[in-house]
Amino acid sequence: MAKDWPIYFSRIFPVSGGHQHPGVQQLAVSHSGVRLVRREKGPSEDNLQVLDTFSFEEIAETCVPKGSALQLVLTSGVRFLLYSHRANQIHTMIEKYCLDNEKLQQKAAPHIPDGLAPSKIALDSWTGHSRTAGHQQSAILQSHTNTTLSQQQQQHHHQQHHQQRNIITSSPQPPEPPGHHDGKHSLLQFAMLHFRQSPEKFEMLKTADGSISGSLKVIENLKASKKNKGKKGNKENDWTWKEQVDLVKFSSVPIEQSLLRLEPGELSELAVECFAAVMRYMGDLSMAPDSTEVKCVYTILMHCHKHEALRDEVYCQLMKQTTNNKSMKPDSCQRGWRLFSIVAAYFVCSETLKPYLFKYLETSAYDKRRAYHGTATVCLQNLRKTFKYGGRKNVPSVEEITAISAGRNSKRQIYRLPGGTERVVNTKSTTVVQDVIEELCTVIGVTGGEMEMEEFSLYCIVEGDTFTMPLAREEYILDVTTELHKNQQVFYLIFCRSVWHFPLRLDSQLYVEVVFNQIAPDYLEGLLLIMPGEQLDQDVIYDIAKMAALLHRAADMTHVPTMKETKFLLPKPALTVRDVKPAQWVNMVQSNWRDVEMLTTIQSKAQVLDILSKWPLFGSSFFAVKRVSDPKERSDHILALNRQGVHFIDLVTHVSIICNLCHLVLQHKNVTSKR
């Protein structure tokens, strides 16, 4: 009975959940799983309350990114970072329980004799999970059949080909759920086609669906070897399946040449260097005196960045070292998968390797029985995103590599909103501009889908630079910031609205703040005013007076605007209009005060936006331009770009000189711009 109680027979460690999990004070580990615990102590009670429980099947990975930190990665992808001076001891204890749990599950699984596996047995059995040699052979040698066989016939069929070993092919199957082992695009198949040691032994034919078929040149020699048993010489006849299978399995010793058929010389040498770096990072090769974990990762990323041909090689090396990993180091495979996820966040592979690499990751990610399927899922997500956006363009900084090597997968990057408000967004190696725009749009209440989100942009403003740089949506944030940091430049990442087709969302407080703070400076500068003959229409005068009162209230003022204050509440050009004297402006603004003094600041800002949204130049992006078609008639203008088209407007009156979308081809009008 006691063994069923939540934290009885548990080893309880003092921990801190940090700012992410402030309630967690202790961690309990027992045969039944891991529990996050809080102590509730009062005058009459002293209890331990279980906040969360994880079985060992749910724990995909544990690591100690630094001496006092312990990270738990669940199969769901959720991560818990806890702090304790006993982190290493907790890590060792959980790993032992996970290993014992895995052994119990393996014992409980039904044993299938070699060669007798039914057709459901995985064909693609060299993808990151240990299988017996018999299963490997029966998987490879499953023959194509055009008729449906009973299970008994299939077993006989497997046995027959297990003995003959004379055909390698895949049988067509009906569609299966993701991650199903359909025999296509296995790592062994790729090795037979592309590894350096394979071509001379195989004659392969690759079909359109990715499967391979053909015969082994050595088959006849294998048969001949039986007849000539006992005869010496003819080393080719000694070839076995194990020789080929070992090419795609974990190796405890460094390779002497590249796995793939790379050009001899520098590339092959760099491939060997990368493999050594992989082994050192995984702990399977002792660190050189001048080497560190960070340097190992940096070496791999640097070489892959410089030499595109090495990317397939490194991916093959990582698949090899995470397949049937029998390392003496208990966390070798775990670290291999972590390195895999890092590389997948930076580089694409070739179209040739792509289906094999995705199949490898899908098989490992979708099978929850596998020890590292959680990290494999992260790898798969990273690789999909890398293919979507093309991968990182710049070599990451040492600081970034240090962080991800320690398990810190995101950086707290500051993004500014109009008005100076700042938002922190956790930015990963794979985060692109589109991700940040989507997250900030969600924060301010833009929920109209992708089309509405496309009206917002991210800009980079570099201190001392006259240009504002819009960032492309597929750009990686850390590519941008790393380059700027390297050049020791001070910069700001600004989020704002750039297109104005969708209506305003005046019911969202933060949305109103963002758009108001973006529009107000242009309004007060006078860019939204149109003044034919340098005069204002009566309706516009009424709007300006009403908005002046609203702006006063928007600044959280509770008194009637004074003459001195009114001057700063009006657009600059309005002060120069001859028909309206300063005293008249003050009277009109003060007469509007009674209607707005009871509004909140947000209501006042929303009303300002509502009035301005009806003005013709609302929602425009303004650019200072110069007309240079005739040297004698050089003149300054303003280009206003909005949903009505492209407007070249007078510098003072803002009356349109040209308004036609066709004139977007600016070189035809000989226009130059500062922005």
Side-chain angles (χ1 to χ4, degrees):
M1 287 175 62
K3 289 182 73 174
D4 293 332
W5 295 353
I7 53 177
Y8 212 67
F9 293 116
S10 292
R11 183 69 180 272
I12 301 176
F13 300 91
V15 300
S16 168
H19 69 278
Q20 291 183 330
H21 311 286
V24 178
Q25 299 171 339
Q26 294 167 328
L27 183 138
V29 184
S30 71
H31 62 282
S32 61
V34 176
R35 292 173 172 83
L36 303 181
V37 179
R38 178 175 65 213
R39 184 177 182 181
E40 294 189 342
K41 189 175 182 180
S44 59
E45 60 178 5
D46 190 356
N47 299 324
L48 296 179
Q49 181 182 358
V50 177
L51 303 177
D52 215 336
T53 302
F54 316 120
S55 66
F56 294 113
E57 289 86 354
E58 292 179 274
I59 299 176
E61 182 182 339
T62 62
C63 63
V64 181
K66 55 184 178 181
S68 61
L70 171 76
Q71 182 169 260
L72 299 178
V73 182
L74 305 185
T75 55
S76 63
V78 176
R79 295 168 182 267
F80 287 86
L81 188 63
L82 307 172
Y83 301 90
S84 172
H85 65 284
R86 310 280 285 281
N88 285 307
Q89 188 177 353
I90 300 172
H91 168 66
T92 302
M93 191 172 187
I94 294 176
E95 284 292 297
K96 185 178 185 305
Y97 271 119
C98 286
L99 189 61
D100 291 345
N101 184 67
E102 188 177 345
K103 289 178 180 176
L104 287 172
Q105 287 183 329
Q106 290 174 352
K107 286 181 181 178
H111 178 68
I112 302 174
D114 292 350
L116 296 180
S119 60
K120 287 184 180 179
I121 290 295
L123 304 180
D124 183 6
S125 56
W126 294 272
T127 50
H129 195 59
S130 173
R131 303 289 177 100
T132 64
H135 286 146
Q136 290 170 338
Q137 291 172 354
S138 65
I140 300 172
L141 300 175
Q142 183 178 11
S143 176
H144 171 69
T145 54
N146 292 323
T147 57
T148 304
L149 301 176
S150 66
Q151 183 172 343
Q152 184 178 6
Q153 288 173 314
Q154 287 179 345
Q155 290 173 345
H156 174 72
H157 178 77
H158 279 291
Q159 287 176 312
Q160 184 183 43
H161 286 273
H162 179 76
Q163 295 166 356
Q164 293 177 347
R165 298 179 176 176
N166 61 348
I167 294 179
I168 300 178
T169 186
S170 308
S171 54
Q173 297 178 355
E176 295 287 350
H180 178 77
H181 308 280
D182 57 7
K184 301 171 186 175
H185 302 123
S186 73
L187 178 56
L188 185 60
Q189 288 180 348
F190 183 82
M192 290 173 176
L193 290 165
H194 302 285
F195 272 25
R196 181 188 296 276
Q197 298 180 29
S198 299
E200 68 273 12
K201 295 193 173 83
F202 296 95
E203 288 178 342
M204 287 292 149
L205 295 175
K206 184 175 180 181
T207 59
D209 64 0
S211 62
I212 59 174
S213 61
S215 62
L216 303 178
K217 288 182 180 180
V218 298
I219 289 301
E220 294 306 319
N221 292 330
L222 285 172
K223 293 178 180 177
S225 67
K226 295 178 182 178
K227 296 178 182 178
N228 302 318
K229 195 173 182 180
K231 293 184 180 180
K232 295 182 179 180
N234 196 356
K235 289 287 183 182
E236 189 178 15
N237 292 346
D238 295 335
W239 182 89
T240 65
W241 272 106
K242 184 177 183 302
E243 178 184 344
Q244 185 63 29
V245 171
D246 283 346
L247 288 178
V248 296
K249 288 168 58 179
F250 170 82
S251 172
S252 59
V253 295
I255 57 175
E256 296 180 358
Q257 55 185 350
S258 62
L259 299 178
L260 300 177
R261 300 190 293 275
L262 300 178
E263 292 295 326
E266 182 189 11
L267 275 186
S268 187
E269 291 174 6
L270 292 178
V272 173
E273 186 180 339
C274 286
F275 193 83
V278 170
M279 291 188 70
R280 288 192 174 102
Y281 185 86
M282 293 174 67
D284 297 310
L285 188 65
S286 58
M287 284 286 181
D290 62 338
S291 188
T292 62
E293 286 183 7
V294 172
K295 191 171 182 180
C296 290
V297 178
Y298 198 75
T299 297
I300 294 167
L301 297 184
M302 278 287 288
H303 290 337
C304 287
H305 178 77
K306 187 176 180 181
H307 304 283
E308 193 171 332
L310 279 177
R311 297 173 187 178
D312 280 9
E313 172 72 21
V314 167
Y315 275 124
C316 287
Q317 292 178 5
L318 290 168
M319 286 189 281
K320 174 181 173 68
Q321 292 305 93
T322 51
T323 296
N324 198 26
N325 185 296
K326 299 294 184 183
S327 172
M328 299 298 290
K329 302 291 183 180
D331 59 349
S332 167
C333 198
Q334 172 186 303
R335 296 181 63 80
W337 275 109
R338 184 189 301 169
L339 182 58
F340 211 144
S341 69
I342 292 171
V343 175
Y346 289 92
F347 303 113
V348 297
C349 66
S350 69
E351 288 299 316
T352 303
L353 179 62
K354 183 178 178 180
Y356 299 91
L357 180 56
F358 270 100
K359 173 52 72 70
Y360 183 86
L361 293 177
E362 287 167 357
T363 303
S364 299
Y366 296 147
D367 187 350
K368 293 188 177 181
R369 297 169 298 176
R370 300 188 181 226
Y372 305 105
H373 77 89
T375 314
T377 301
V378 175
C379 288
L380 184 59
Q381 292 168 346
N382 286 353
L383 191 64
R384 283 173 176 164
K385 194 161 189 181
T386 300
F387 266 96
K388 181 177 180 180
Y389 293 107
R392 294 282 294 274
K393 304 300 184 290
N394 298 330
V395 179
S397 64
V398 173
E399 292 76 18
E400 183 182 341
I401 294 175
T402 302
I404 58 177
S405 297
R408 300 191 299 274
N409 296 323
S410 62
K411 172 188 178 183
R412 291 173 59 80
Q413 179 66 49
I414 295 175
Y415 298 87
R416 290 195 174 189
L417 306 179
T421 304
E422 294 182 344
R423 279 289 185 275
V424 174
V425 176
N426 288 332
T427 303
K428 302 178 181 179
S429 300
T430 56
T431 300
V432 294
V433 170
Q434 177 71 21
D435 298 328
V436 176
I437 291 174
E438 288 178 2
E439 181 159 344
L440 292 177
C441 279
T442 303
V443 168
I444 68 172
V446 175
T447 55
E450 291 183 12
M451 291 294 290
E452 187 174 5
M453 288 183 180
E454 284 180 4
E455 298 199 350
F456 291 82
S457 302
L458 197 65
Y459 294 83
C460 181
I461 297 178
V462 179
E463 201 169 87
D465 198 336
T466 57
F467 294 93
T468 301
M469 181 172 64
L471 300 179
R473 291 175 122 73
E474 66 275 8
E475 281 191 84
Y476 287 83
I477 295 292
L478 294 186
D479 269 349
V480 175
T481 59
T482 298
E483 190 68 22
L484 292 167
H485 282 307
K486 189 170 69 176
N487 297 331
Q488 298 183 332
Q489 292 173 290
V490 179
F491 65 92
Y492 307 97
L493 299 176
I494 309 290
F495 168 81
C496 60
R497 188 168 178 177
S498 53
V499 183
W500 302 80
H501 278 283
F502 278 80
L504 296 172
R505 291 182 173 272
L506 301 181
D507 56 339
S508 169
Q509 181 171 329
L510 189 53
Y511 179 97
V512 170
E513 287 282 2
V514 167
V515 177
F516 174 84
N517 288 321
Q518 182 177 338
I519 290 294
D522 283 349
Y523 167 70
L524 292 173
E525 193 64 31
L527 289 171
L528 302 182
L529 281 179
I530 298 176
M531 302 190 302
E534 299 188 30
Q535 299 299 312
L536 290 173
D537 290 341
Q538 195 62 44
D539 290 343
V540 174
I541 291 174
Y542 291 147
D543 283 349
I544 292 173
K546 177 71 175 289
M547 285 189 287
L550 288 167
L551 288 172
H552 191 64
R553 183 68 196 104
D556 206 14
M557 297 298 178
T558 56
H559 61 275
V560 177
T562 64
M563 177 176 282
K564 186 177 181 180
E565 289 171 329
T566 299
K567 182 174 69 172
F568 298 103
L569 299 172
L570 303 174
K572 287 180 182 179
L575 297 170
T576 65
V577 176
R578 297 175 185 176
D579 292 349
V580 187
K581 305 300 180 185
Q584 290 176 290
W585 279 122
V586 174
N587 289 334
M588 286 188 290
V589 172
Q590 290 180 347
S591 66
N592 277 283
W593 176 250
R594 290 188 296 273
D595 297 330
V596 304
E597 61 180 333
M598 301 307 295
L599 298 176
T600 65
T601 58
I602 287 296
Q603 288 172 335
S604 301
K605 293 174 181 178
Q607 284 199 23
V608 170
L609 292 176
D610 187 47
I611 294 170
L612 287 177
S613 65
K614 300 175 177 64
W615 286 22
L617 290 179
F618 177 80
S620 297
S621 295
F622 296 98
F623 304 88
V625 297
K626 185 183 292 290
R627 187 168 187 169
V628 295
S629 55
D630 186 343
K632 297 178 182 179
E633 296 182 8
R634 289 178 182 269
S635 54
D636 293 326
H637 296 287
I638 296 174
L639 185 151
L641 182 63
N642 57 36
R643 61 183 174 185
Q644 278 80 37
V646 179
H647 309 258
F648 290 96
I649 60 180
D650 183 84
L651 197 63
V652 178
T653 65
H654 300 163
V655 174
S656 291
I657 301 167
I658 304 170
C659 176
N660 194 324
L661 198 57
C662 297
H663 292 106
L664 188 59
V665 187
L666 300 182
Q667 61 267 34
H668 290 174
K669 287 296 175 185
N670 298 311
V671 173
T672 61
S673 172
K674 296 177 183 176
R675 296 166 67 186

